[in-house]
């Protein structure tokens, strides 16, 4: 069943020149890019996007990191895209992510882990309406 998921290529990936590498992995898998924008996240959007994390100890440095540079927001679609994209990006902590995944190959950090992707159909719907309100279903 075709699904849509929200992907952010985070500021560390943009700074490191890894945008093409990361998008290429999604394309080579057979997923489609339905929408793509280079933008910055302000604090209000960070607090909404990461609503479930705002009380966590790791949130203030995460917010500073995510609002500290350009990022790429995307809607990625395809068969079981939510699960497939999460598998492609790997575990949250780049030090523990499986080699072969984006984080496993390219990140050594639990925070600066290059990519965010929706973790469920409910999150995908909520996050697509935050980042691409004009394309929300
Ligand atoms: P992401 O998939 O965007 O979802 C929440 C983000 O919080 C996560 O990727 C990391 O960037 C960050 N994060 C999660 N857990 C930790 C942690 N223990 N320490 C630092 N950052 C974290």
């Amino acid at each position: 069943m075709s699904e849509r998921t929200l992907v952010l290529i985070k500021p560390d990936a943009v700074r490191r020149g890894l945008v093409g590498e990361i998008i290429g992995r999604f394309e080579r898998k057979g997923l489609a890019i339905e929408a793509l924008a280079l933008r910055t996240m302000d604090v209000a959007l960070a607090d909404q996007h990461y609503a479930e994390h705002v009380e966590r100890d790791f949130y203030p440095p995460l917010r500073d990191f995510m609002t500290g540079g350009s990022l790429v927001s995307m809607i990625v679609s395809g068969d079981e895209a939510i699960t497939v994209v999460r598998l492609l990006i790997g575990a949250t902590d780049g030090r523990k992510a499986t080699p072969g995944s984006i984080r496993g190959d390219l990140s050594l950090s639990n925070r600066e882990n290059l990519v965010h992707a929706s973790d469920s159909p409910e999150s995908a719907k909520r996050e697509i309406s935050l980042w691409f309100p004009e394309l929300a279903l």
Side-chain angles (χ1 to χ4, degrees), residues 8 10 49-50 53 56 58 61-62 65-66 86 89 92 103 110-113 115-117:
L8 302 177
K10 297 184 180 188
H49 177 84
Y50 282 127
H53 297 312
R56 306 287 291 273
F58 65 74
L62 172 64
F65 160 55
M66 291 297 292
R86 295 280 293 189
I89 70 177
T92 301
R103 290 165 172 164
N110 201 17
R111 177 181 308 120
E112 302 204 4
N113 59 2
V115 191
H116 165 86

Side-chain angles (χ1 to χ4, degrees), residues 4-62:
R4 302 199 301 169
T5 188
L6 187 282
V7 174
L8 302 177
I9 303 181
K10 297 184 180 188
D12 56 331
V14 175
R15 255 189 310 268
R16 290 174 57 194
L18 293 172
V19 172
E21 163 77 29
I22 292 168
I23 291 175
R25 289 183 182 221
F26 296 137
E27 289 184 320
R28 292 200 296 277
K29 184 68 175 173
L31 295 159
I33 311 301
E34 275 195 29
L36 184 150
L38 181 70
R39 56 176 293 179
T40 51
M41 192 188 215
D42 62 21
V43 169
L45 181 56
D47 289 353
Q48 284 181 288
H49 177 84
Y50 282 127
E52 64 180 308
H53 297 312
V54 287
E55 302 300 332
R56 306 287 291 273
D57 289 347
F58 65 74
Y59 184 64
L62 172 64

